[in-house]
Coordinates of all heavy atoms in Angstrom, one line a residue:
D356 N 73.9 -60.3 -32.6 CA 72.7 -60.6 -31.9 C 71.5 -60.2 -32.7 O 71.6 -59.5 -33.7 CB 72.7 -60.1 -30.4 CG 72.6 -58.6 -30.3 OD1 72.0 -58.0 -31.2 OD2 73.0 -58.1 -29.3
D357 N 70.3 -60.5 -32.2 CA 69.0 -60.2 -32.9 C 68.8 -58.7 -33.1 O 68.4 -58.3 -34.1 CB 67.8 -60.8 -32.2 CG 67.8 -62.3 -32.3 OD1 68.5 -62.9 -33.2 OD2 67.1 -62.9 -31.5
N358 N 69.1 -57.9 -32.1 CA 69.0 -56.4 -32.2 C 69.9 -55.9 -33.3 O 69.4 -55.1 -34.1 CB 69.2 -55.7 -30.9 CG 68.1 -55.8 -29.9 OD1 66.9 -56.0 -30.3 ND2 68.3 -55.7 -28.6
T359 N 71.1 -56.3 -33.3 CA 72.0 -55.8 -34.3 C 71.6 -56.2 -35.7 O 71.6 -55.4 -36.6 CB 73.5 -56.4 -34.0 OG1 73.9 -55.9 -32.7 CG2 74.4 -55.9 -35.1
E360 N 71.1 -57.4 -35.9 CA 70.6 -57.8 -37.2 C 69.4 -57.0 -37.6 O 69.2 -56.6 -38.7 CB 70.1 -59.3 -37.1 CG 71.3 -60.3 -37.1 CD 70.9 -61.7 -36.9 OE1 69.8 -62.1 -37.3 OE2 71.8 -62.5 -36.4
K361 N 68.5 -56.6 -36.6 CA 67.4 -55.8 -36.9 C 67.9 -54.4 -37.3 O 67.4 -53.8 -38.2 CB 66.5 -55.7 -35.7 CG 65.2 -54.8 -35.9 CD 64.5 -54.5 -34.7 CE 63.2 -53.7 -34.9 NZ 63.4 -52.5 -35.7
F362 N 68.9 -53.9 -36.6 CA 69.4 -52.5 -36.9 C 70.0 -52.5 -38.3 O 69.8 -51.6 -39.1 CB 70.5 -52.1 -35.9 CG 70.1 -52.0 -34.5 CD1 71.0 -52.2 -33.5 CD2 68.8 -51.7 -34.2 CE1 70.6 -52.2 -32.2 CE2 68.4 -51.6 -32.9 CZ 69.3 -51.8 -31.8
V363 N 70.7 -53.6 -38.7 CA 71.2 -53.7 -40.1 C 70.1 -53.7 -41.1 O 70.2 -53.0 -42.1 CB 72.1 -55.0 -40.2 CG1 72.5 -55.3 -41.7 CG2 73.4 -54.9 -39.4
R364 N 69.1 -54.5 -40.9 CA 67.9 -54.6 -41.8 C 67.3 -53.2 -41.9 O 66.9 -52.7 -43.0 CB 66.9 -55.6 -41.3 CG 67.3 -57.0 -41.6 CD 66.2 -58.0 -41.4 NE 65.5 -57.9 -40.1 CZ 65.8 -58.5 -39.0 NH1 66.9 -59.3 -39.0 NH2 65.2 -58.3 -37.9
D365 N 67.1 -52.5 -40.7 CA 66.4 -51.2 -40.7 C 67.3 -50.2 -41.5 O 66.7 -49.4 -42.2 CB 66.2 -50.7 -39.3 CG 65.1 -51.5 -38.6 OD1 64.4 -52.3 -39.2 OD2 65.0 -51.3 -37.3
F366 N 68.6 -50.2 -41.3 CA 69.5 -49.3 -41.9 C 69.4 -49.5 -43.4 O 69.3 -48.6 -44.2 CB 70.9 -49.6 -41.4 CG 72.0 -48.6 -41.9 CD1 72.2 -47.5 -41.1 CD2 72.6 -48.8 -43.0 CE1 73.2 -46.6 -41.5 CE2 73.6 -47.9 -43.5 CZ 73.9 -46.8 -42.7
I367 N 69.5 -50.8 -43.9 CA 69.5 -51.1 -45.3 C 68.1 -50.6 -45.9 O 68.1 -50.0 -47.0 CB 69.8 -52.6 -45.6 CG1 71.2 -52.9 -45.2 CG2 69.5 -53.0 -47.0 CD1 71.5 -54.4 -45.2
A368 N 67.0 -50.9 -45.2 CA 65.7 -50.6 -45.7 C 65.6 -49.1 -45.9 O 65.0 -48.6 -46.9 CB 64.6 -51.1 -44.8
A369 N 66.1 -48.3 -44.9 CA 66.0 -46.9 -44.9 C 66.8 -46.3 -46.1 O 66.3 -45.4 -46.8 CB 66.4 -46.3 -43.6
W370 N 68.0 -46.8 -46.3 CA 68.8 -46.3 -47.3 C 68.3 -46.7 -48.7 O 68.4 -45.8 -49.6 CB 70.3 -46.8 -47.1 CG 71.1 -45.9 -46.3 CD1 70.7 -45.3 -45.1 CD2 72.4 -45.3 -46.6 NE1 71.7 -44.5 -44.6 CE2 72.7 -44.5 -45.5 CE3 73.2 -45.5 -47.7 CZ2 74.0 -43.8 -45.5 CZ3 74.5 -44.9 -47.6 CH2 74.8 -44.0 -46.6
T371 N 67.8 -47.9 -48.9 CA 67.3 -48.2 -50.2 C 66.1 -47.4 -50.5 O 65.8 -47.1 -51.7 CB 67.0 -49.8 -50.3 OG1 66.2 -50.2 -49.3 CG2 68.3 -50.6 -50.3
K372 N 65.3 -47.1 -49.5 CA 64.1 -46.3 -49.7 C 64.5 -44.9 -50.2 O 63.7 -44.3 -50.9 CB 63.3 -46.2 -48.3 CG 62.0 -45.5 -48.4 CD 61.4 -45.6 -47.0 CE 60.2 -44.6 -46.9 NZ 59.6 -44.6 -45.6
E373 N 65.6 -44.4 -49.8 CA 66.1 -43.1 -50.2 C 66.7 -43.2 -51.6 O 67.2 -42.2 -52.1 CB 67.2 -42.6 -49.2 CG 66.6 -42.3 -47.9 CD 65.6 -41.1 -47.9 OE1 65.9 -40.1 -48.6 OE2 64.6 -41.2 -47.2
G374 N 66.8 -44.4 -52.2 CA 67.2 -44.5 -53.6 C 68.6 -45.0 -53.8 O 69.1 -45.1 -54.9
E375 N 69.3 -45.4 -52.7 CA 70.6 -46.0 -52.8 C 70.5 -47.5 -53.3 O 69.4 -48.1 -53.0 CB 71.3 -46.0 -51.4 CG 71.7 -44.6 -50.9 CD 72.8 -44.0 -51.7 OE1 73.7 -44.8 -52.2 OE2 72.9 -42.8 -51.8
S376 N 71.5 -48.0 -53.9 CA 71.5 -49.3 -54.4 C 71.6 -50.3 -53.2 O 72.1 -50.0 -52.2 CB 72.6 -49.6 -55.3 OG 73.9 -49.7 -54.6
Q377 N 70.9 -51.5 -53.4 CA 71.0 -52.5 -52.3 C 72.4 -52.8 -52.0 O 72.8 -53.0 -50.8 CB 70.2 -53.7 -52.8 CG 70.1 -54.8 -51.8 CD 69.1 -54.6 -50.7 OE1 68.2 -53.8 -50.8 NE2 69.3 -55.3 -49.6
K378 N 73.3 -53.0 -53.0 CA 74.6 -53.4 -52.8 C 75.4 -52.3 -52.0 O 76.1 -52.7 -51.0 CB 75.3 -53.6 -54.1 CG 76.8 -54.0 -54.0 CD 77.4 -54.2 -55.4 CE 78.9 -54.5 -55.2 NZ 79.6 -54.5 -56.5
N379 N 75.2 -51.1 -52.3 CA 75.9 -50.0 -51.5 C 75.3 -50.0 -50.1 O 76.1 -49.8 -49.2 CB 75.6 -48.6 -52.2 CG 76.5 -47.6 -51.6 OD1 77.7 -47.8 -51.4 ND2 75.9 -46.4 -51.5
C380 N 74.0 -50.1 -49.9 CA 73.5 -50.1 -48.6 C 74.0 -51.2 -47.7 O 74.3 -51.0 -46.5 CB 71.9 -50.2 -48.7 SG 71.2 -48.7 -49.5
E381 N 74.1 -52.4 -48.3 CA 74.6 -53.5 -47.6 C 76.1 -53.3 -47.2 O 76.5 -53.6 -46.1 CB 74.4 -54.8 -48.4 CG 73.0 -55.3 -48.5 CD 72.8 -56.4 -49.4 OE1 73.8 -56.9 -50.0 OE2 71.6 -56.8 -49.6
C382 N 76.8 -52.7 -48.1 CA 78.2 -52.4 -47.8 C 78.3 -51.5 -46.6 O 79.1 -51.7 -45.7 CB 78.9 -51.9 -49.0 SG 80.6 -51.4 -48.8
V383 N 77.6 -50.4 -46.7 CA 77.6 -49.4 -45.7 C 77.2 -49.9 -44.3 O 77.9 -49.7 -43.3 CB 76.8 -48.1 -46.1 CG1 76.6 -47.2 -44.9 CG2 77.4 -47.4 -47.3
A384 N 76.1 -50.7 -44.3 CA 75.6 -51.2 -43.0 C 76.6 -52.2 -42.5 O 76.9 -52.2 -41.3 CB 74.3 -52.0 -43.3
T385 N 77.2 -53.1 -43.3 CA 78.2 -54.1 -42.8 C 79.4 -53.4 -42.3 O 79.9 -53.8 -41.2 CB 78.5 -55.0 -43.9 OG1 77.3 -55.7 -44.4 CG2 79.5 -56.1 -43.5
E386 N 79.9 -52.4 -43.0 CA 81.2 -51.7 -42.6 C 80.9 -50.9 -41.3 O 81.8 -50.9 -40.4 CB 81.7 -50.8 -43.7 CG 82.2 -51.6 -44.9 CD 83.3 -52.6 -44.5 OE1 84.2 -52.3 -43.8 OE2 83.2 -53.8 -45.1
F387 N 79.8 -50.2 -41.2 CA 79.5 -49.5 -40.0 C 79.4 -50.5 -38.8 O 79.8 -50.2 -37.7 CB 78.3 -48.6 -40.1 CG 78.5 -47.3 -40.6 CD1 77.8 -46.8 -41.7 CD2 79.5 -46.4 -40.0 CE1 78.0 -45.5 -42.1 CE2 79.7 -45.2 -40.5 CZ 79.0 -44.7 -41.5
E388 N 78.7 -51.6 -39.0 CA 78.5 -52.6 -37.9 C 79.9 -53.0 -37.4 O 80.1 -53.2 -36.2 CB 77.7 -53.7 -38.4 CG 77.5 -54.8 -37.3 CD 76.8 -56.1 -37.8 OE1 76.6 -56.2 -39.0 OE2 76.6 -56.9 -37.0
K389 N 80.8 -53.2 -38.4 CA 82.2 -53.7 -38.0 C 83.0 -52.6 -37.2 O 83.7 -52.8 -36.3 CB 83.0 -54.1 -39.2 CG 82.6 -55.4 -39.8 CD 83.6 -55.8 -40.8 CE 83.0 -55.9 -42.2 NZ 84.0 -56.2 -43.2
A390 N 82.8 -51.3 -37.7 CA 83.6 -50.2 -37.2 C 83.1 -49.6 -35.9 O 83.9 -49.0 -35.1 CB 83.7 -49.1 -38.3
L391 N 81.8 -49.7 -35.6 CA 81.2 -49.1 -34.4 C 80.8 -50.0 -33.3 O 80.5 -51.2 -33.6 CB 80.0 -48.3 -34.9 CG 80.2 -47.2 -36.0 CD1 78.8 -46.6 -36.3 CD2 81.1 -46.1 -35.5
D392 N 80.8 -49.5 -32.1 CA 80.2 -50.3 -31.1 C 78.7 -50.4 -31.2 O 78.1 -49.7 -32.0 CB 80.6 -49.9 -29.7 CG 80.0 -48.6 -29.2 OD1 79.0 -48.1 -29.9 OD2 80.4 -48.1 -28.1
K393 N 78.1 -51.3 -30.5 CA 76.6 -51.5 -30.6 C 75.8 -50.3 -30.5 O 74.9 -50.0 -31.2 CB 76.2 -52.6 -29.6 CG 74.9 -53.2 -29.8 CD 74.6 -54.3 -28.8 CE 73.2 -54.7 -28.8 NZ 73.0 -55.8 -27.9
D394 N 76.0 -49.5 -29.4 CA 75.2 -48.3 -29.2 C 75.3 -47.3 -30.3 O 74.4 -46.7 -30.7 CB 75.6 -47.6 -27.9 CG 75.2 -48.5 -26.7 OD1 74.2 -49.2 -26.8 OD2 75.8 -48.3 -25.6
A395 N 76.6 -47.1 -30.8 CA 76.8 -46.1 -31.9 C 76.1 -46.6 -33.2 O 75.5 -45.8 -33.9 CB 78.3 -45.9 -32.1
F396 N 76.2 -47.9 -33.4 CA 75.5 -48.4 -34.6 C 74.0 -48.3 -34.5 O 73.3 -48.0 -35.5 CB 75.9 -49.9 -34.9 CG 75.4 -50.4 -36.2 CD1 75.8 -50.0 -37.4 CD2 74.3 -51.3 -36.1 CE1 75.3 -50.4 -38.6 CE2 73.8 -51.8 -37.3 CZ 74.2 -51.3 -38.5
H397 N 73.5 -48.6 -33.3 CA 72.1 -48.5 -33.0 C 71.6 -47.0 -33.3 O 70.6 -46.8 -34.0 CB 71.8 -48.9 -31.6 CG 70.3 -48.8 -31.2 ND1 69.9 -48.9 -29.9 CD2 69.2 -48.7 -31.9 CE1 68.6 -48.8 -29.9 NE2 68.1 -48.6 -31.1
A398 N 72.4 -46.1 -32.8 CA 72.0 -44.7 -33.1 C 72.0 -44.4 -34.6 O 71.1 -43.7 -35.1 CB 73.0 -43.7 -32.3
M399 N 73.0 -44.9 -35.3 CA 73.1 -44.6 -36.7 C 71.9 -45.2 -37.4 O 71.3 -44.6 -38.3 CB 74.4 -45.1 -37.2 CG 74.6 -44.8 -38.7 SD 76.3 -45.0 -39.1 CE 77.0 -43.5 -38.3
A400 N 71.5 -46.4 -37.1 CA 70.4 -47.1 -37.7 C 69.1 -46.4 -37.4 O 68.3 -46.2 -38.3 CB 70.3 -48.6 -37.2
L401 N 68.9 -45.9 -36.2 CA 67.7 -45.1 -35.9 C 67.6 -43.9 -36.7 O 66.6 -43.5 -37.2 CB 67.7 -44.8 -34.4 CG 67.3 -45.9 -33.4 CD1 67.6 -45.5 -32.0 CD2 65.9 -46.4 -33.6
G402 N 68.8 -43.2 -36.8 CA 68.8 -41.9 -37.6 C 68.5 -42.2 -39.0 O 67.7 -41.4 -39.7
A403 N 69.0 -43.3 -39.6 CA 68.8 -43.6 -41.0 C 67.3 -44.0 -41.2 O 66.7 -43.7 -42.3 CB 69.6 -44.8 -41.4
S404 N 66.6 -44.5 -40.1 CA 65.2 -44.8 -40.2 C 64.3 -43.7 -40.0 O 63.1 -43.8 -39.9 CB 64.9 -45.9 -39.2 OG 65.7 -47.1 -39.5
G405 N 64.9 -42.5 -39.8 CA 64.1 -41.3 -39.5 C 63.7 -41.0 -38.1 O 62.9 -40.2 -37.8
K406 N 64.3 -41.8 -37.2 CA 64.0 -41.7 -35.8 C 65.1 -40.8 -35.1 O 65.8 -41.3 -34.3 CB 63.9 -43.1 -35.1 CG 62.8 -43.9 -35.7 CD 62.7 -45.3 -35.1 CE 61.6 -46.1 -35.8 NZ 61.7 -47.5 -35.4
E407 N 65.1 -39.6 -35.6 CA 66.2 -38.7 -35.2 C 66.2 -38.4 -33.7 O 67.3 -38.3 -33.1 CB 66.0 -37.3 -36.0 CG 66.2 -37.4 -37.5 CD 67.6 -37.8 -37.9 OE1 68.5 -37.5 -37.2 OE2 67.6 -38.5 -39.0
E408 N 65.1 -38.2 -33.1 CA 65.1 -37.9 -31.7 C 65.7 -39.1 -30.8 O 66.5 -38.8 -29.9 CB 63.6 -37.7 -31.2 CG 63.4 -36.3 -30.5 CD 62.0 -36.1 -30.2 OE1 61.6 -36.5 -29.1 OE2 61.3 -35.4 -31.0
E409 N 65.3 -40.3 -31.2 CA 65.9 -41.5 -30.5 C 67.4 -41.6 -30.7 O 68.1 -41.8 -29.8 CB 65.2 -42.7 -30.9 CG 63.7 -42.9 -30.4 CD 63.1 -44.2 -31.0 OE1 63.6 -45.3 -30.6 OE2 62.1 -44.1 -31.7
A410 N 67.7 -41.3 -32.0 CA 69.2 -41.4 -32.3 C 70.0 -40.4 -31.6 O 71.0 -40.7 -31.0 CB 69.3 -41.2 -33.8
D411 N 69.4 -39.1 -31.5 CA 70.1 -38.1 -30.8 C 70.3 -38.4 -29.3 O 71.4 -38.1 -28.7 CB 69.4 -36.7 -31.0 CG 69.5 -36.2 -32.4 OD1 70.4 -36.6 -33.1 OD2 68.7 -35.2 -32.7
K412 N 69.3 -39.0 -28.7 CA 69.4 -39.3 -27.3 C 70.6 -40.3 -27.0 O 71.4 -40.1 -26.1 CB 68.1 -40.0 -26.7 CG 67.0 -39.0 -26.5 CD 65.8 -39.7 -25.9 CE 64.6 -38.7 -25.9 NZ 63.4 -39.4 -25.5
I413 N 70.7 -41.3 -27.9 CA 71.8 -42.3 -27.8 C 73.1 -41.6 -28.1 O 74.1 -41.7 -27.3 CB 71.6 -43.5 -28.7 CG1 70.3 -44.2 -28.3 CG2 72.8 -44.4 -28.7 CD1 69.8 -45.3 -29.3
M414 N 73.2 -40.8 -29.1 CA 74.4 -40.1 -29.5 C 74.9 -39.2 -28.4 O 76.1 -39.2 -28.1 CB 74.2 -39.3 -30.8 CG 74.1 -40.1 -32.1 SD 75.7 -40.9 -32.5 CE 76.6 -39.4 -32.9
N415 N 74.0 -38.4 -27.9 CA 74.4 -37.5 -26.8 C 74.9 -38.1 -25.6 O 75.6 -37.6 -24.8 CB 73.2 -36.5 -26.5 CG 73.0 -35.6 -27.7 OD1 73.9 -35.3 -28.5 ND2 71.7 -35.1 -27.8
A416 N 74.4 -39.4 -25.3 CA 74.9 -40.1 -24.2 C 76.2 -40.8 -24.4 O 76.9 -41.2 -23.4 CB 73.8 -41.2 -23.8
L417 N 76.7 -40.9 -25.6 CA 78.0 -41.5 -25.9 C 79.1 -40.6 -25.5 O 79.0 -39.4 -25.6 CB 78.1 -41.8 -27.4 CG 77.2 -42.9 -28.0 CD1 77.4 -42.9 -29.5 CD2 77.5 -44.3 -27.4
P418 N 80.2 -41.2 -25.0 CA 81.4 -40.4 -24.7 C 81.9 -39.8 -25.9 O 81.7 -40.3 -27.0 CB 82.4 -41.5 -24.1 CG 81.6 -42.7 -23.9 CD 80.4 -42.6 -24.7
M419 N 82.6 -38.7 -25.8 CA 83.1 -38.0 -26.9 C 84.0 -38.8 -27.8 O 83.9 -38.7 -29.1 CB 83.9 -36.7 -26.5 CG 84.3 -35.8 -27.6 SD 83.0 -35.3 -28.7 CE 82.1 -34.2 -27.7
D420 N 84.8 -39.7 -27.3 CA 85.7 -40.6 -28.1 C 84.9 -41.5 -29.0 O 85.2 -41.7 -30.2 CB 86.7 -41.4 -27.3 CG 86.0 -42.4 -26.3 OD1 85.0 -42.1 -25.8 OD2 86.6 -43.5 -26.1
K421 N 83.7 -41.9 -28.5 CA 82.9 -42.8 -29.4 C 82.2 -42.0 -30.5 O 82.0 -42.4 -31.6 CB 81.8 -43.6 -28.6 CG 82.5 -44.6 -27.7 CD 81.5 -45.6 -27.1 CE 82.3 -46.6 -26.3 NZ 81.4 -47.6 -25.7
Q422 N 81.8 -40.7 -30.1 CA 81.2 -39.8 -31.1 C 82.2 -39.5 -32.2 O 81.9 -39.5 -33.4 CB 80.7 -38.6 -30.5 CG 79.5 -38.8 -29.6 CD 79.0 -37.5 -29.0 OE1 79.1 -36.4 -29.6 NE2 78.5 -37.6 -27.8
M423 N 83.5 -39.3 -31.8 CA 84.5 -39.0 -32.8 C 84.8 -40.3 -33.6 O 85.1 -40.2 -34.8 CB 85.8 -38.6 -32.1 CG 85.7 -37.2 -31.4 SD 85.2 -35.9 -32.5 CE 86.6 -35.7 -33.5
A424 N 84.8 -41.4 -33.0 CA 85.0 -42.7 -33.8 C 83.9 -42.9 -34.8 O 84.2 -43.4 -35.9 CB 85.0 -43.9 -32.8
M425 N 82.7 -42.4 -34.6 CA 81.6 -42.5 -35.6 C 82.0 -41.6 -36.8 O 81.8 -42.1 -37.9 CB 80.3 -42.1 -35.0 CG 79.7 -43.1 -34.1 SD 78.1 -42.6 -33.4 CE 77.1 -42.8 -34.9
A426 N 82.5 -40.4 -36.5 CA 82.8 -39.5 -37.6 C 84.0 -40.1 -38.5 O 83.9 -40.1 -39.7 CB 83.2 -38.2 -37.1
T427 N 84.9 -40.6 -37.8 CA 86.1 -41.2 -38.5 C 85.6 -42.5 -39.3 O 86.0 -42.6 -40.4 CB 87.2 -41.6 -37.5 OG1 87.6 -40.5 -36.7 CG2 88.4 -42.2 -38.1
A428 N 84.8 -43.3 -38.7 CA 84.3 -44.5 -39.4 C 83.5 -44.1 -40.6 O 83.6 -44.8 -41.6 CB 83.4 -45.3 -38.4
A429 N 82.7 -43.1 -40.5 CA 81.9 -42.6 -41.6 C 82.7 -42.3 -42.8 O 82.4 -42.7 -44.0 CB 81.0 -41.4 -41.2
M430 N 83.8 -41.6 -42.6 CA 84.7 -41.3 -43.8 C 85.2 -42.6 -44.4 O 85.2 -42.7 -45.7 CB 85.8 -40.4 -43.3 CG 85.4 -39.0 -43.0 SD 86.7 -37.9 -42.6 CE 87.1 -38.4 -41.0
G431 N 85.7 -43.5 -43.6 CA 86.3 -44.7 -44.2 C 85.3 -45.6 -44.9 O 85.5 -46.1 -46.0
V432 N 84.1 -45.7 -44.3 CA 83.0 -46.5 -44.8 C 82.5 -45.9 -46.2 O 82.4 -46.6 -47.2 CB 81.8 -46.6 -43.9 CG1 80.6 -47.2 -44.5 CG2 82.2 -47.4 -42.7
M433 N 82.4 -44.6 -46.2 CA 81.9 -44.0 -47.5 C 82.9 -44.2 -48.6 O 82.6 -44.4 -49.7 CB 81.6 -42.5 -47.3 CG 80.4 -42.3 -46.3 SD 78.9 -43.2 -46.9 CE 77.9 -42.9 -45.5
M434 N 84.2 -44.0 -48.3 CA 85.2 -44.2 -49.3 C 85.2 -45.7 -49.8 O 85.4 -46.0 -51.0 CB 86.6 -43.8 -48.7 CG 86.7 -42.3 -48.6 SD 88.3 -41.9 -48.0 CE 89.4 -42.3 -49.3
K435 N 85.1 -46.6 -48.8 CA 85.1 -48.0 -49.2 C 83.9 -48.4 -50.0 O 84.0 -49.2 -51.0 CB 85.2 -48.9 -48.0 CG 85.3 -50.4 -48.3 CD 85.7 -51.2 -47.1 CE 85.9 -52.6 -47.6 NZ 86.4 -53.5 -46.5
C436 N 82.7 -47.9 -49.6 CA 81.5 -48.4 -50.2 C 81.0 -47.5 -51.4 O 80.0 -48.0 -52.1 CB 80.4 -48.5 -49.2 SG 80.8 -49.6 -47.9
A437 N 81.6 -46.4 -51.6 CA 81.1 -45.5 -52.7 C 81.3 -46.2 -54.1 O 82.3 -47.0 -54.2 CB 81.9 -44.2 -52.7
P438 N 80.4 -46.0 -55.0 CA 80.7 -46.6 -56.3 C 82.0 -46.2 -56.8 O 82.5 -45.1 -56.8 CB 79.6 -45.9 -57.2 CG 78.5 -45.5 -56.2 CD 79.2 -45.2 -54.9
G439 N 82.8 -47.2 -57.2 CA 84.1 -47.0 -57.7 C 85.2 -47.0 -56.6 O 86.4 -47.0 -56.8
G440 N 84.7 -47.2 -55.3 CA 85.6 -47.2 -54.2 C 86.2 -48.6 -54.1 O 86.0 -49.5 -54.8
A441 N 87.1 -48.7 -53.1 CA 87.8 -50.0 -52.9 C 86.9 -50.9 -52.2 O 86.6 -50.7 -51.0 CB 89.1 -49.8 -52.1
S442 N 86.3 -51.9 -52.8 CA 85.4 -52.9 -52.1 C 85.9 -54.3 -52.1 O 86.9 -54.6 -52.7 CB 84.0 -52.8 -52.7 OG 84.0 -52.8 -54.1

C-alpha cells in the first residue's frame, strides 16, 4: 500500500544518507518489508529516519513475539544483504 511504499522510501533515504550503498539499502528495506508485519516495519522505518520516539511507541505496543521476530529478521536480513552475503 501507499504507506508501506513511503516507509520503504524513507528507510532507503535514511540509510543512504548514513553512507550505505543504494543497493544495500534497497536489499535491507525489501527484505525487512517481506519479513516483518506492517507495524514492525513502520517502526523500523521511523527509527531509521531518526524518529526514535515515534518508533519506540510503536515498538513498545507490539506483542513480545513480534518484537522477537524483528530481532530474528534483522540477523537474517543483514546476512543476506551484507556485501559478500548471499543475495
Side-chain angles (χ1 to χ4, degrees):
D356 71 25
D357 288 343
N358 280 338
T359 301
E360 289 176 21
K361 181 188 181 317
F362 299 151
V363 170
R364 285 192 308 273
D365 289 351
F366 188 93
I367 292 169
W370 269 49
T371 53
K372 187 176 166 185
E373 293 295 319
E375 293 289 332
S376 73
Q377 181 78 20
K378 181 180 177 186
N379 191 42
C380 296
E381 288 172 0
C382 177
V383 169
T385 300
E386 292 302 317
F387 271 128
E388 182 189 1
K389 285 191 244 177
L391 301 175
D392 74 6
K393 189 175 171 180
D394 289 334
F396 184 72
H397 180 193
M399 187 162 285
L401 286 169
S404 300
K406 298 175 182 171
E407 297 294 330
E408 236 176 83
E409 290 177 62
D411 286 345
K412 282 182 189 174
I413 294 169
M414 286 290 294
N415 292 332
L417 292 174
M419 186 54 69
D420 64 323
K421 289 190 180 184
Q422 291 181 31
M423 295 302 292
M425 287 181 75
T427 303
M430 288 185 284
V432 168
M433 294 307 172
M434 288 181 67
K435 182 171 186 172
C436 298
S442 43

